[in-house]
């Protein structure tokens, strides 16, 4: 069988040009042929493809209920239908008005309607997994240091390990730790609230930043926080309780402390970290990916807020708003709330959003009594994960986004984080799974598993759901698959010292696809 018949893409290889986090790459180069022990199955079962790609939450629901017994009663059928209704959008739709990728297509009651396995599917054996993964993990494209962990989501048992305890630079897969820490510390319904306040009788209005990078000045807030709505609410309050003379506008960013500039310096992948910004400090109309950023996002947000207040009829003094601090007795004039934390976490994971990641770890710090800074967030995240009894030995959380090369996370910690999110005892952590990009469908995996008209979907398309990680010389992939027997497995693969990012990504993708396509027993 030729490579194309197997589903492997064949394109020219390009040299590493120095990568920022999860930068768009050309199509991967032609990989080596799969090992002989790779058992390529026949066409994907409809239930498997749909359950994994369309409604991952359904598969997770199946795992949860299977832990209590097989799908053998009317109650189980009702639970399947309920799960389908709860997961109608595939868990990754965060607004599509500005060119964001569409969510994975949803399907009703996949497990019963499409013939998914009944009861608990068999788990792969350790020896069989080793037979198919060992040869791929030795591929030279994975650089000088490779680690791996594969875990059974139902039992939590580690089925495959290769230096899985080694703490390595995780790149953007550290966002999985950020997600779990934030959901643990804040709860899934938490919202970040930006306010406009003023002292009683005073003529100074203060725009108070609360650490919401998704606050938007664009016309459609997509159910999240809106600077326009805040301006309208503030203007209405001032009209109902007028003040003498013109008003001054200032802004308060005192919630955050420490350096605002990420250690990587000015960069199109992240704005200066500030408690106040609009549209992540973007200077274009993009909603994700690299973009030119404001050098002072707080001042830019306050300036735009002043313009909106004037448009609403509020009389403001001329000149640019200045930084200040809201008084202890300041009264709220208006507020606007972000989308729930569940949506923020999913958006962060799907699109590898660095600005949201840095905001969320600072929210964790505040909830943990630590300063909202890089150092405070690092302490808070580690404490939250340690409290969950996760294997944090050797881990270091120098930031929340994974842009910092000082971050250290092991493959075992990554799979443990995913297993905790799949644990029926922790439903609040579920967005750490549902937000993962779907291979060939969403986010940073949308273009990693190319569809070929001649051979159909590439191996792993719709079956792999994973967080990507890319820095120069670092490539990582961690997430979940539904294997050929219907078992939900969790995996983490890391590669350090890589020299050709396209080839490394291709091998990582094949590792994940191999787990998905293997009934390894």
């Amino acid at each position: 069988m030729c490579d194309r018949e197997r589903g492997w893409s064949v394109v020219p290889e390009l040299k590493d040009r120095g990568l920022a986090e999860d930068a768009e790459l050309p199509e991967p180069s032609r990989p080596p042929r799969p090992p002989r022990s790779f058992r390529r199955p026949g066409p994907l079962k409809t239930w498997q493809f749909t359950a994994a790609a369309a409604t991952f939450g359904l598969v997770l629901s199946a795992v949860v209920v299977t832990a209590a017994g097989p799908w053998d009663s009317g109650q189980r059928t009702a639970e399947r239908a309920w799960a389908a209704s709860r997961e109608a959008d595939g868990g990754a739709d965060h607004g599509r008005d500005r060119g964001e990728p569409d969510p994975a297509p949803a399907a009703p009651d996949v497990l019963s309607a499409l013939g998914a396995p009944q009861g608990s599917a068999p788990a792969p054996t350790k020896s069989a997994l080793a037979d198919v993964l060992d040869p791929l993990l030795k591929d030279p494209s994975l650089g000088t240091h490779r680690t791996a962990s594969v875990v059974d989501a139902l039992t939590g048992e580690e089925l495959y390990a290769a230096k899985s305890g080694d703490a390595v630079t995780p790149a953007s897969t550290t966002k999985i730790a950020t997600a779990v820490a934030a959901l643990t510390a804040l709860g899934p319904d938490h919202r970040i609230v930006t306010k406009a306040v003023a002292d009683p009788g005073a003529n100074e209005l203060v725009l108070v930043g609360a650490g919401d990078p998704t606050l938007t000045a664009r016309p459609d807030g997509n159910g999240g926080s809106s600077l326009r709505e805040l301006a309208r609410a503030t203007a209405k309050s001032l009209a109902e309780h007028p003040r003498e003379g013109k008003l001054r506008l200032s802004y308060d960013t005192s919630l955050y402390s420490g350096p605002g500039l990420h250690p990587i310096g000015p960069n199109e992948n992240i704005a200066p970290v500030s408690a106040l910004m609009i549209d992540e400090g973007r200077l274009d109309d993009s909603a994700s990916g690299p973009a030119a950023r404001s050098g002072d996002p707080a001042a830019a947000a306050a300036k735009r807020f002043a313009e909106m207040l004037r448009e609403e009829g509020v009389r403001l003094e001329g000149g640019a708003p200045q930084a200040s601090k809201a008084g202890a007795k300041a009264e709220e004039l208006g507020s606007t709330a972000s989308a729930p934390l569940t949506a923020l976490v999913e958006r962060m994971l799907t699109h590898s959003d660095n600005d949201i990641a840095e905001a969320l770890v600072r929210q964790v710090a505040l909830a943990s009594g630590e300063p909202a800074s890089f150092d405070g967030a690092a302490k808070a995240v580690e404490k939250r994960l340690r409290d969950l009894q996760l294997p944090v030995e050797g881990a270091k959380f120098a930031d929340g986004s994974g842009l910092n090369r000082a971050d250290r996370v092991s493959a075992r910690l990554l799979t443990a984080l995913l297993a905790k999110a799949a644990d029926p005892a922790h439903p609040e952590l579920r967005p750490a799974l549902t937000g993962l990009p779907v291979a060939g469908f969403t986010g940073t995996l949308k273009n990693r598993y190319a569809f070929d008209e001649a051979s159909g979907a590439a191996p792993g398309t719709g079956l792999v759901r994973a967080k990507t990680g890319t820095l120069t010389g670092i490539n990582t992939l961690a997430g979940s698959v539904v294997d050929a027997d219907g078992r939900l497995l969790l995996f983490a693969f890391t590669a350090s010292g890589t020299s050709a990012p396209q080839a490394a990504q291709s091998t990582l993708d094949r590792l994940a696809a191999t787990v998905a396509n293997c009934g390894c027993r």
Side-chain angles (χ1 to χ4, degrees):
M1 181 181 293
C2 70
D3 288 340
R4 183 166 297 278
E5 289 171 331
R6 290 187 177 94
W8 310 120
S9 58
V10 181
V11 296
E13 179 174 345
L14 297 179
K15 292 183 178 179
D16 181 1
R17 294 168 296 183
L19 299 177
E21 173 60 32
D22 291 331
E24 288 292 328
L25 293 173
E27 293 295 329
S29 58
R30 176 171 179 161
R33 293 178 181 270
R36 294 181 183 274
S37 56
F38 178 78
R39 296 187 291 275
R40 178 76 171 122
L44 296 175
K45 301 181 182 72
T46 302
W47 75 263
Q48 185 189 13
F49 183 90
T50 309
T55 51
F56 168 79
L58 264 176
V59 180
L60 182 58
S61 297
V63 170
V64 171
V65 180
T66 296
W71 300 99
D72 58 1
S73 69
Q75 179 182 358
R76 293 289 183 260
T77 301
E79 287 170 337
R80 290 198 302 269
W82 178 87
S85 69
R86 295 286 290 176
E87 294 295 334
D89 65 358
D93 182 6
H94 310 295
R96 299 181 296 280
D97 293 339
R98 293 188 292 275
E100 294 184 21
D102 290 336
D109 206 356
V110 173
L111 293 177
S112 60
L114 299 180
Q118 302 298 300
S120 178
T125 65
K126 294 181 179 181
S127 60
L129 270 178
D131 285 345
V132 296
L133 295 181
D134 281 349
L136 283 172
L137 202 63
K138 295 175 182 177
D139 192 295
S141 66
L142 296 182
T144 57
H145 190 188
R146 312 92 184 269
T147 75
S149 175
V150 178
V151 166
D152 180 5
L154 184 62
T155 65
E157 181 183 7
E158 188 171 51
L159 302 175
Y160 179 79
K163 299 181 180 178
S164 62
D166 289 5
V168 298
T169 302
S172 193
T173 54
T174 200
K175 290 184 176 76
I176 299 172
T178 296
V180 170
L183 291 163
T184 300
L186 305 166
D189 298 324
H190 178 77
R191 295 173 186 259
I192 305 172
V193 181
T194 304
K195 300 178 180 179
V197 304
D199 283 333
N203 278 26
E204 182 179 8
L205 311 179
V206 184
L207 177 60
V208 182
D212 178 11
T214 68
L215 176 64
T216 183
R218 295 165 182 169
D220 187 354
N222 284 325
S225 50
S226 167
L227 195 68
R228 173 65 69 183
E229 291 180 2
L230 179 58
R232 288 172 179 162
T234 302
K236 180 180 178 182
S237 180
L238 290 171
E240 293 172 350
H241 305 283
R243 300 176 186 234
E244 295 293 330
K246 287 188 175 182
L247 304 174
R248 296 188 310 276
L249 176 66
S250 61
Y251 59 94
D252 183 351
T253 61
S254 61
L255 186 67
Y256 285 4
S257 59
L261 194 63
H262 191 281
I264 64 170
N267 194 281
E268 290 190 345
N269 288 280
I270 188 170
V273 183
S274 172
L276 177 63
M277 64 173 66
I278 52 174
D279 300 303
E280 300 183 337
R282 294 172 181 272
L283 299 179
D284 59 16
D285 61 356
S286 64
S288 62
R293 310 299 182 105
S294 169
D296 190 345
K303 179 182 178 183
R304 186 71 185 100
F305 188 57
E307 294 170 353
M308 290 181 174
L309 287 174
R310 291 189 177 98
E311 292 168 5
E312 297 295 330
V314 177
R315 297 175 62 211
L316 291 178
E317 290 182 355
Q322 301 298 310
S324 69
K325 184 174 173 58
K329 297 181 180 180
E331 299 174 343
E332 181 180 314
L333 301 176
S335 66
T336 184
S338 72
L341 182 61
T342 52
L344 298 183
V345 164
E346 289 183 335
R347 176 173 165 181
M348 172 189 69
L349 293 172
T350 301
H351 302 299
S352 200
D353 195 305
N354 299 311
D355 301 281
I356 293 178
E358 296 303 339
L360 292 188
V361 291
R362 281 158 180 75
Q363 295 292 317
V364 174
L366 292 168
S368 305
E370 296 286 351
S373 63
F374 285 106
D375 290 342
K379 294 177 183 177
V381 169
E382 181 176 345
K383 182 180 186 304
R384 294 289 176 173
L385 301 189
R386 193 178 295 278
D387 288 347
L388 288 172
Q389 298 183 323
L390 293 166
V392 295
E393 293 76 16
K396 182 178 180 180
F397 305 99
D399 66 4
S401 61
L403 287 171
N404 196 325
R405 290 177 174 275
D407 289 327
R408 292 292 183 272
V409 171
S410 68
R412 181 169 294 154
L413 175 55
L414 288 171
T415 51
L417 286 161
L418 295 166
K420 189 67 69 172
D423 188 340
H426 291 279
E428 74 281 2
L429 302 182
R430 189 172 182 177
L433 292 172
T434 59
L436 296 173
V438 180
F441 283 93
T442 62
T444 55
L445 282 184
K446 185 174 185 179
N447 299 318
R448 287 265 292 261
Y449 289 74
F451 182 88
D452 186 277
E453 292 186 0
S455 59
T461 299
L463 307 179
V464 174
R465 191 156 196 163
K467 182 71 201 74
T468 56
T470 308
L471 295 170
T472 302
I474 302 292
N475 297 91
T476 59
L477 190 68
S480 67
V481 298
V482 179
D483 76 3
D485 291 318
R487 192 80 169 195
L488 182 62
L489 304 177
L490 310 170
F491 67 86
F493 301 114
T494 79
S496 305
T498 60
S499 58
Q502 298 88 355
Q505 286 185 356
S506 177
T507 303
L508 292 176
D509 292 347
R510 286 190 293 127
L511 279 161
T514 297
V515 177
N517 290 328
C518 179
C520 298
R521 294 187 307 282

